[in-house]
């Protein structure tokens, strides 16, 4: 029964793409099953705060984009609206794994997912999204659940190896934050004992925020060129672009706060790393052109952002045994 109160579901379209919206008294979350299961709205209704960063290019339907030179990066970037993507089985740059060429953050972030309703009552609503990869024999599922009266989205993800062979994967939650929630001086809080592993080289040469080397102790780390960088403070626009990898999580959680806060909790035994991507306006070439102000805090299995082959080579990739299913629990909660 259609409701306009308590927990409820809405089916419709956003910019021509099929959308499903989970809503209650405090939160509204919109998901695009036809575009990777992307979360494109995470709105705290009492404060009218949407935690999702929307990229300057906006939401584009991949089916309507037929121009441009094809390459393994453009497949993701040309249709990247910001938001929150499921990344599997390749994280970061295009890579080749056992003869399969995988694009940037491929494959599931670019595929249409099936969607079915699994709960629809005033007490809670939930949908199950599912997809099979095209180049590797995996099946992915995730159930998104919103309960009445809460400010928390609960997710249970499943990755299944449908082959009789052991296989590797990178699995990540590509969660990025932007204005108006994100602002200079916003704070990032992590558990005690977290260490910082810088990316090997600057992602936008020659500048970077964190000196190469490490690992360093969170949050005060050596700055490139001397001095200290406090990674727990979101920088001013124009600060150098960078990506670092955070490790040492006994419990997987972080909080990012401005006037209000988002707390993300996840199973760190499945995703032991947190990628921290900072693009706050210093990149003046493709694809940002100086227009991005965003910070990504992305739980991940595997590092660095050089693709699956690199994660296999350094021993950080996830291993799925024949017909094994990995289960990931994740919770994203707004705190006032």
């Amino acid at each position: 029964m259609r409701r306009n109160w308590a927990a409820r579901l809405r089916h419709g379209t956003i910019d021509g793409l099929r959308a499903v919206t989970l809503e209650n008294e405090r939160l509204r979350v919109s998901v695009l099953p036809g575009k990777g299961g992307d979360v494109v709205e995470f709105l705290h209704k009492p404060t009218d705060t949407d935690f999702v960063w929307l990229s300057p290019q906006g939401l584009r339907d991949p089916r309507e984009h037929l121009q441009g030179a094809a390459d393994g990066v453009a497949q993701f970037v040309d249709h990247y609206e910001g938001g929150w993507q499921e990344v599997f089985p390749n994280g970061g740059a295009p890579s080749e794994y056992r003869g399969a060429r995988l694009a940037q953050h491929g494959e599931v972030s670019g595929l249409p997912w099936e969607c079915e309703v699994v709960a629809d009552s005033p007490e809670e609503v939930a949908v199950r999204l599912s997809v099979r990869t095209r180049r590797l024999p995996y099946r992915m599922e995730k159930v998104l659940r919103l309960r009445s009266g809460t400010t928390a989205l609960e997710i249970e993800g499943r990755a299944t190896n449908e082959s009789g062979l052991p296989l590797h994967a990178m699995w990540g939650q590509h969660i990025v934050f932007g204005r108006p929630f994100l602002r200079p001086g916003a704070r990032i809080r992590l558990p005690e004992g977290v260490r910082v592993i810088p990316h090997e080289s600057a992602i936008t040469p020659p500048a970077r925020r964190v000196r190469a080397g490490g690992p360093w102790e969170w949050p005060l780390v050596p700055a490139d060129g001397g001095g200290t960088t406090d990674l727990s403070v979101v920088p001013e626009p124009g600060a150098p672009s960078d990506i670092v990898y955070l490790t040492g999580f006994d419990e997987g959680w972080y909080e990012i706060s401005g006037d209000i806060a988002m707390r993300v909790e996840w199973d760190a035994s499945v995703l032991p790393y947190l990628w921290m991507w900072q693009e706050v306006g210093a990149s003046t070439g493709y694809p940002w052109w100086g227009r991005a102000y965003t910070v990504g805090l992305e739980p991940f299995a595997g590092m660095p952002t050089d693709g699956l082959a690199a994660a296999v080579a350094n021993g950080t990739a996830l291993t799925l045994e024949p017909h094994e299913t990995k289960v990931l629990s994740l919770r994203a909660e707004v705190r006032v």
Side-chain angles (χ1 to χ4, degrees):
M1 181 181 71
R2 183 178 173 87
R3 291 182 302 281
N4 59 2
W5 49 274
R8 63 262 200 193
L9 284 171
R10 293 285 186 272
H11 300 272
T13 60
I14 298 176
D15 291 344
L17 288 161
R18 179 189 175 196
V20 59
T21 297
L22 298 85
E23 186 172 2
N24 65 10
E25 305 89 340
R26 301 181 182 182
L27 206 62
R28 187 167 70 231
V29 179
S30 294
V31 183
L32 303 179
K35 187 184 178 299
D38 290 7
V39 176
V40 293
E41 180 184 39
F42 200 111
L43 180 74
H44 181 243
K45 294 162 65 174
T47 59
D48 195 30
T49 302
D50 196 337
F51 288 81
V52 164
W53 176 62
L54 297 176
S55 75
Q57 69 186 19
L59 181 60
R60 296 170 171 173
D61 187 339
R63 297 170 298 181
E64 297 178 354
H65 184 70
L66 303 176
Q67 306 301 318
D71 63 66
V73 173
Q75 185 170 322
F76 178 84
V77 172
D78 282 359
H79 312 113
Y80 177 55
E81 78 286 355
W84 172 354
Q85 286 76 36
E86 192 88 23
V87 173
F88 189 96
N90 183 57
S95 187
E96 183 170 328
Y97 175 71
R98 296 172 69 169
R101 293 189 177 183
L102 303 171
Q104 175 93 7
H105 289 324
E107 298 182 65
V108 300
S109 63
L111 294 176
W113 294 51
E114 298 294 325
C115 179
E116 62 176 315
V117 175
V118 295
D120 186 4
S121 73
E123 292 72 36
E124 67 173 19
V125 290
V127 294
R128 178 185 291 112
L129 305 183
S130 60
V131 68
R132 281 186 168 89
T133 55
R134 306 267 173 95
R135 300 196 173 185
L136 295 176
Y138 284 118
R139 175 180 170 83
M140 298 287 293
E141 293 184 1
K142 57 182 176 181
V143 174
L144 296 88
R145 188 178 308 274
L146 183 61
R147 304 179 194 273
S148 176
T150 72
T151 56
L153 177 69
E154 302 170 43
I155 300 176
E156 182 180 271
R158 293 176 175 268
T160 300
N161 176 2
E162 295 192 315
S163 81
L165 303 171
L167 295 174
H168 295 96
M170 299 173 82
W171 190 0
Q173 303 297 316
H174 195 275
I175 307 171
V176 298
F177 300 93
R179 290 186 170 117
F181 164 70
L182 190 74
R183 56 173 173 76
R187 293 278 177 169
I188 299 166
R189 193 163 71 90
L190 299 176
E192 296 291 331
V194 168
R195 299 183 301 280
V196 179
I197 303 172
H199 192 61
E200 186 176 5
S201 59
I203 61 172
T204 306
R208 59 188 303 172
R209 289 192 73 201
V210 182
R211 194 177 79 201
W216 319 112
E217 294 297 318
W218 169 272
L220 300 177
V221 299
D224 192 48
T228 301
T229 292
D230 187 350
L231 288 177
S232 70
V233 180
V234 174
E236 296 286 337
S241 307
D242 213 341
I243 186 166
V244 298
Y245 312 98
L246 308 174
T247 186
F249 290 89
D250 292 329
E251 297 178 299
W253 65 265
Y254 66 77
E255 289 186 5
I256 178 167
S257 59
D259 296 326
I260 61 175
M262 170 76 85
R263 181 181 174 95
V264 176
E265 301 173 352
W266 73 95
D267 185 349
S269 67
V270 180
L271 309 184
Y273 298 96
L274 181 67
W275 294 15
M276 182 178 182
W277 171 49
Q278 303 156 90
E279 180 48 70
V280 292
S283 298
T284 56
Y286 173 81
W288 308 120
W289 309 110
R291 299 187 298 169
Y293 187 84
T294 185
V295 170
L297 293 169
E298 309 166 25
F300 249 94
M303 58 154 284
T305 184
D306 294 336
L308 178 55
V312 171
N314 68 22
T316 64
L318 195 67
T319 299
L320 287 93
E321 299 299 332
H323 306 291
E324 181 184 6
T325 296
K326 298 283 190 185
V327 179
L328 172 67
S329 295
L330 187 143
R331 190 172 190 267
E333 180 181 12
V334 179
R335 295 192 169 185
V336 179

